[in-house]
Amino acid sequence: IEAFKKYISLNPTSEKAKEYLINICNLAHRMNDAIDFFLLDYEKNPGDLDLVKKLAALYRMAGETEKAIDFYQKAAELDPGNAESFYSVGVSCWGRSYNSPYLEYEARMSLLDRGQAALEKAIAIKKDYFEAYLYLNLLFRQKAQYDISPAQAMTWRQKADELQAKALELRAVAMQAQAAAAAAAGGAQPTTPAPASPGGK
């Protein structure tokens, strides 16, 4: 780890060395070493979008989901026209709630509201973003599961069903377009698109 840190300090543009550093920290269960190393660069250049995304991913790998969400949010603010940035915030909020059965009620609902806003922003930017619709559906199911009001929980489930149907509809359209493009390119069979893993814990 120290050797890679030294190498990167001498060759700061070496992305391969940075990958090696992250991998060895992950294998050694010392992700905080990588986080602390890249935080030094972040403090000097907080507007570096690639660095912000890297830190979000590192915090996620380290299991520090709340900090990961904060950095995904920073990435979204630095790149407000990128639907994927807001999608990452929403998916991470869902993952935090899904993997935290003992989260306090107010904290969970605030987290889910944050994720909802981010996913709705992603959809506003990219109207056919079926993955965002899918996770928005899952997020509303979390609201339905934990809301203390049975009537409100029913409303959330109905909303989730609507979003799931919309996600499947958009996914079917995407598959048809992919099949048409494959046929035009020589008949290659399209692969089935799959939503990104939330990754949050």
Side-chain angles (χ1 to χ4, degrees):
I1 290 173
E2 294 307 316
F4 279 124
K5 286 181 179 180
K6 181 64 175 177
Y7 181 86
I8 295 169
S9 68
L10 296 172
N11 300 274
T13 61
S14 176
E15 293 301 322
K16 183 61 68 176
K18 293 174 185 178
E19 290 177 14
Y20 284 139
L21 173 62
I22 293 169
N23 287 338
I24 196 171
C25 286
N26 188 34
L27 289 170
H29 303 290
R30 289 173 55 182
M31 289 307 301
N32 283 336
D33 282 70
I35 290 170
D36 291 343
F37 181 77
F38 288 109
L39 275 176
L40 294 174
D41 287 339
Y42 171 74
E43 290 170 1
K44 298 174 186 174
N45 190 8
D48 186 330
L49 179 59
D50 289 337
L51 183 57
V52 170
K53 288 181 177 179
K54 188 187 298 293
L55 281 163
L58 290 175
Y59 276 119
R60 178 181 59 77
M61 292 170 68
E64 297 188 48
T65 314
E66 292 184 4
K67 289 184 178 179
I69 293 171
D70 288 340
F71 271 86
Y72 280 127
Q73 185 71 50
K74 292 178 190 293
E77 292 167 1
L78 289 171
D79 194 15
N82 187 341
E84 186 176 348
S85 297
F86 291 97
Y87 172 76
S88 295
V89 175
V91 170
S92 297
C93 288
W94 171 83
R96 169 69 172 150
S97 178
Y98 182 80
N99 290 292
S100 305
Y102 303 112
L103 200 62
E104 287 187 6
Y105 176 78
E106 293 297 335
R108 184 186 305 280
M109 290 303 169
S110 177
L111 177 71
L112 293 173
D113 286 342
R114 183 179 183 181
Q116 178 184 342
L119 288 169
E120 288 175 347
K121 181 66 174 178
I123 290 169
I125 296 169
K126 185 179 177 183
K127 304 296 185 183
D128 61 348
Y129 205 162
F130 74 82
E131 295 95 339
Y133 277 101
L134 177 62
Y135 273 101
L136 191 53
N137 140 68
L138 294 174
L139 189 146
F140 273 107
R141 294 191 191 282
Q142 282 289 291
K143 284 191 169 187
Q145 179 177 344
Y146 289 101
D147 202 301
I148 57 177
S149 166
Q152 186 62 68
M154 182 178 294
T155 299
W156 296 146
R157 280 192 291 271
Q158 291 172 346
K159 182 66 174 178
D161 289 342
E162 293 171 6
L163 290 164
Q164 183 181 46
K166 182 66 174 179
L168 294 174
E169 175 188 338
L170 290 172
R171 180 180 177 275
V173 171
M175 287 292 293
Q176 290 172 0
Q178 189 178 3
Q189 293 297 316
T191 56
T192 302
S197 168
K201 290 185 179 180

